[in-house]
Amino acid sequence: MNLSMRNQIPGTVTDIAHGEVMATVQVRLDGGQRLTAAITLESVKDLGLAEGSAVRAMMKSTEVALATGRVEGLSIRNQLPGTVTGLAVGGAMATVRVAVDEGQLTAAITKDAVLDLGLTVGSPVVVLIKSTEVSLAGV
């Protein structure tokens, strides 16, 4: 299946916490970092997820935020350090390519955010992704 979602990172399920309707799934990415996905229990069942399952974590570029350093006091659980490897800046929006241990991620942010953060190729950043914005696919 081909998807328009460019951000896809392989990993392995390390834990699943079941709630009444939703579950949080802990994934160890192939580069060693951890990622949390909040998905429905129905999805856990449909994907046959269990500890040790190989998955692909996916997120839309519009759901990826960037910071110039780790952020404390924030509900966003997923914070992956990386380095800017590419910038495409338009009149209002920009796409920022970031190398993380697991591969490449793309963030779609405003041009003003690029300027305010002083982003250039080579800038260290932290990728921020809400767990509810992470989708999982079985591999």
Side-chain angles (χ1 to χ4, degrees):
M1 172 188 342
N2 291 327
L3 297 173
S4 64
M5 215 177 302
R6 289 181 276 183
N7 295 323
Q8 300 185 26
I9 301 176
T12 305
V13 173
T14 59
D15 187 54
I16 301 172
H18 296 82
E20 291 188 32
V21 177
M22 300 285 291
T24 54
V25 180
Q26 302 298 320
V27 177
R28 182 184 45 76
L29 302 174
D30 286 357
Q33 295 186 30
R34 305 253 177 221
L35 193 71
T36 300
I39 63 174
T40 64
L41 288 177
E42 185 176 352
S43 292
V44 171
K45 180 182 172 188
D46 289 349
L47 292 170
L49 296 182
E51 195 171 313
S53 295
V55 294
R56 185 163 294 280
M58 302 180 296
M59 64 284 315
K60 292 173 59 175
S61 60
T62 53
E63 300 302 332
V64 175
L66 300 175
T68 55
R70 188 152 177 83
V71 183
E72 298 298 326
L74 187 65
S75 67
I76 297 176
R77 309 308 327 151
N78 299 312
Q79 298 192 32
L80 305 174
T83 304
V84 174
T85 59
L87 285 167
V89 181
M93 295 295 293
T95 56
V96 183
R97 299 271 300 160
V98 178
V100 295
D101 287 346
E102 296 72 29
Q104 291 280 326
L105 291 174
T106 300
I109 63 176
T110 65
K111 172 184 152 185
D112 290 343
V114 170
L115 297 173
D116 290 347
L117 295 173
L119 299 181
T120 60
V121 171
S123 294
V125 293
V126 175
V127 175
L128 306 167
I129 312 158
K130 290 178 63 173
S131 59
T132 53
E133 300 305 330
V134 177
S135 297
L136 297 177
V139 205

